[in-house]
Amino acid sequence: MENEKSYSVFAGTQSKYLAEKICKSLGCPLGRMTTQHFADGEFAVSYEETIRGKDIFLVQSTFPSADNIMELLLMIDAAKRASAHYITAVIPYFGWARQDRKDKPRVSIAAKLMADLLSTAGVTRLITMDLHADQIQGFFDVPVDHLYASSVFMDHIKSNFDLQNLIIATPDVGGTKRASSYARHLGVPMVICHKTRLKANEVAEMRLIGKVDGKDVLLIDDIVDTAGTITKAADLMIKEGARSVRALASHAVMSDPATENIEKSSLTEMIFTDSIPYNKKSSKVKVLSVADLFALAIKRVSSHESISSLYTL
């Protein structure tokens, strides 16, 4: 009961589904907040209970559209002006993270801009999960707790996969470190797909580095957008003699025609977390919840305890 008085959890419009699960795990009610929409597209947020002197946790993933990040900024600003003691943004999916560097002249670094906007609004801490690039933590001047979905995925893998015949794969070279961590933790081998792109979201060519003949392949990724890369990798694995191919990814961005691509592909199963709501129908998609993971992180942050034990890999 003491914790319930010292902190409160609030949710942005599109992440309320996850915040409700987090609050259920915490054993506390979801804070009351309203978002008023105006005819011209503007909106305003207001807290419907006192937060003066409280530590508050604002749950909102910043997936498209941009309204989600704007709503979070307004939530932070309103909390600051309502004299909240400590404002923690809980962002299960940190959007814009793929723009983390200048990969060609005259482009923005959107991930850094998002960090600056959150800091300027008044956030005092960030809890997030599986950033597209670990170095994005360095864009912030406030503490960042970077959780990993592997703590949820590992239990599922150990319960549902034959580790004796399992091989870990990464659909691109950029995910080698992530896939290598899974392979090392499970004690299984790993292969790599090397891809080249003509343009964003379009794979030109893909080649396999390693052998998968007769193996059950598990593809590891952080984000699935159009599902072009991961389904092409799955088809390649089958072509190279794999017995079966499944995939897991932390964030189900799933832009059209991602669901259709997955349904038509060689994938047996596609596993996501609920960091982003997946509202479409697919017989191949399975969603695991990260609510308990975030609830535990919130509980430990609020009581100034270490969260290092939450990291599986």
Side-chain angles (χ1 to χ4, degrees):
M1 293 297 292
E2 188 175 328
N3 272 352
E4 288 184 29
K5 295 178 182 178
S6 64
Y7 69 85
S8 296
V9 179
F10 295 87
T13 304
Q14 298 301 319
S15 292
K16 190 176 179 180
Y17 72 98
L18 181 56
E20 288 173 341
K21 296 179 192 175
I22 291 172
C23 286
K24 183 177 180 181
S25 182
L26 286 169
C28 70
L30 181 63
R32 300 191 309 277
M33 192 190 80
T34 60
T35 302
Q36 181 182 4
H37 292 266
F38 302 103
D40 64 351
E42 283 189 22
F43 49 90
V45 302
S46 62
Y47 295 93
E48 301 302 314
E49 58 187 78
T50 181
I51 56 174
R52 182 178 294 273
K54 279 193 172 184
D55 294 343
I56 66 166
F57 294 84
L58 308 178
V59 181
Q60 177 78 310
S61 285
T62 57
F63 53 89
S65 69
D67 282 0
N68 290 318
I69 180 66
M70 189 64 197
E71 184 179 30
L72 178 57
L73 294 172
L74 292 176
M75 289 164 66
I76 295 167
D77 184 67
K80 179 177 66 175
R81 297 177 189 279
S83 300
H85 174 246
Y86 209 66
I87 306 167
T88 300
V90 181
I91 308 179
Y93 170 67
F94 184 80
W96 312 85
R98 284 173 284 182
Q99 300 178 55
D100 63 333
R101 66 196 184 283
K102 286 188 69 173
D103 55 354
K104 60 181 181 180
R106 298 177 296 280
V107 297
S108 65
I109 303 179
K112 170 59 174 166
L113 176 60
M114 293 301 113
D116 289 344
L117 287 170
L118 290 165
S119 297
T120 300
V123 74
T124 46
R125 191 181 198 94
L126 173 71
I127 301 176
T128 189
M129 183 183 75
D130 281 0
L131 289 168
H132 185 63
D134 288 347
Q135 63 266 25
I136 290 173
Q137 296 173 75
F139 292 172
F140 288 87
D141 294 323
V142 298
V144 177
D145 294 311
H146 185 204
L147 307 179
Y148 296 94
S150 57
S151 57
V152 174
F153 286 140
M154 277 300 173
D155 289 339
H156 181 79
I157 293 170
K158 291 174 181 177
S159 301
N160 295 276
F161 289 78
D162 175 12
L163 298 185
Q164 298 301 315
N165 199 52
L166 182 65
I167 190 165
I168 298 295
T170 174
D172 57 51
V173 175
T176 302
K177 180 183 175 183
R178 183 183 306 106
S180 177
S181 296
Y182 276 84
R184 185 175 63 253
H185 190 84
L186 293 167
V188 300
M190 184 185 85
V191 298
I192 300 170
C193 289
H194 180 268
K195 70 180 180 184
T196 55
R197 289 188 186 272
L198 288 174
K199 57 183 180 180
N201 289 331
E202 187 175 317
V203 179
E205 184 184 19
M206 184 175 286
R207 294 179 181 177
L208 180 64
I209 304 172
K211 294 183 179 180
V212 296
D213 189 45
K215 294 288 187 178
D216 297 313
V217 178
L218 178 60
L219 286 158
I220 308 289
D221 211 346
D222 62 330
I223 297 170
V224 172
D225 191 346
T226 61
T229 297
I230 208 154
T231 55
K232 198 175 185 73
D235 294 342
L236 177 61
M237 298 296 171
I238 293 296
K239 183 180 176 182
E240 293 290 330
R243 188 171 74 174
S244 69
V245 185
R246 291 176 172 83
L248 63 81
S250 306
H251 308 297
V253 176
M254 295 296 283
S255 309
D256 288 333
T259 296
E260 183 181 345
N261 287 341
I262 286 173
E263 285 292 321
K264 291 179 178 178
S265 75
S266 302
L267 285 170
T268 301
E269 184 178 44
M270 180 75 238
I271 309 162
F272 294 116
T273 76
D274 54 355
S275 64
I276 298 175
Y278 179 70
N279 300 317
K280 294 175 182 172
K281 300 287 186 182
S282 173
S283 58
K284 294 186 177 183
V285 173
K286 181 178 182 65
V287 179
L288 305 178
S289 183
V290 290
D292 289 344
L293 175 64
F294 278 95
L296 190 52
I298 288 171
K299 188 179 293 184
R300 291 189 178 180
V301 166
S302 68
S303 57
H304 309 290
E305 297 176 46
S306 171
I307 67 166
S308 58
S309 62
L310 301 183
Y311 303 139
T312 298
L313 301 183

